[in-house]
Amino acid sequence: MKRIVEIVPARPGWYARWQVDQEGTRCYPVTLWALLEESDGSGREVVGVDCVGQWPGADDNEVGGDFVRYLFQTPDSGAPEDAASPTVGELRESGPRLQPAPAA
């Protein structure tokens, strides 16, 4: 099990790209970065949580979507070609499911 060590807001321009079928990708804006740590303290990683509450390795990501990579585009250069504006149905009522774990 991993625990959240720190959460910081993502700056505008960061996107998470997901492979949605063999030929198609979709990007969602990253809303926050979370520093995760193994419960035994052996390893750390940073994951970006996108605006629909997905992050690499989450059990409840979109069915059929595989994380490809994070990308950055300066806000003045516009969004990536495959950027998606989530619909109300895609936004989770409870928001991202990352929850801080109590300190041991």
Side-chain angles (χ1 to χ4, degrees), residues 50-84:
D50 67 27
C51 66
V52 294
Q54 303 181 124
W55 67 92
D59 293 334
D60 55 355
N61 285 341
E62 276 185 50
V63 175
D66 293 315
F67 177 74
V68 176
R69 69 184 187 118
Y70 297 109
L71 64 135
F72 180 79
Q73 288 199 203
T74 59
D76 61 338
S77 67
E81 289 180 7
D82 59 347

Side-chain angles (χ1 to χ4, degrees), residues 22-66:
Q22 282 191 344
E23 297 179 20
T25 59
R26 183 178 308 141
C27 283
Y28 290 115
V30 173
T31 55
L32 63 89
W33 298 103
L35 175 60
L36 305 178
E37 181 177 74
E38 295 292 334
S39 56
D40 63 2
S42 63
R44 288 182 163 189
E45 68 178 319
V46 173
V47 296
V49 179
D50 67 27
C51 66
V52 294
Q54 303 181 124
W55 67 92
D59 293 334
D60 55 355
N61 285 341
E62 276 185 50
V63 175
D66 293 315

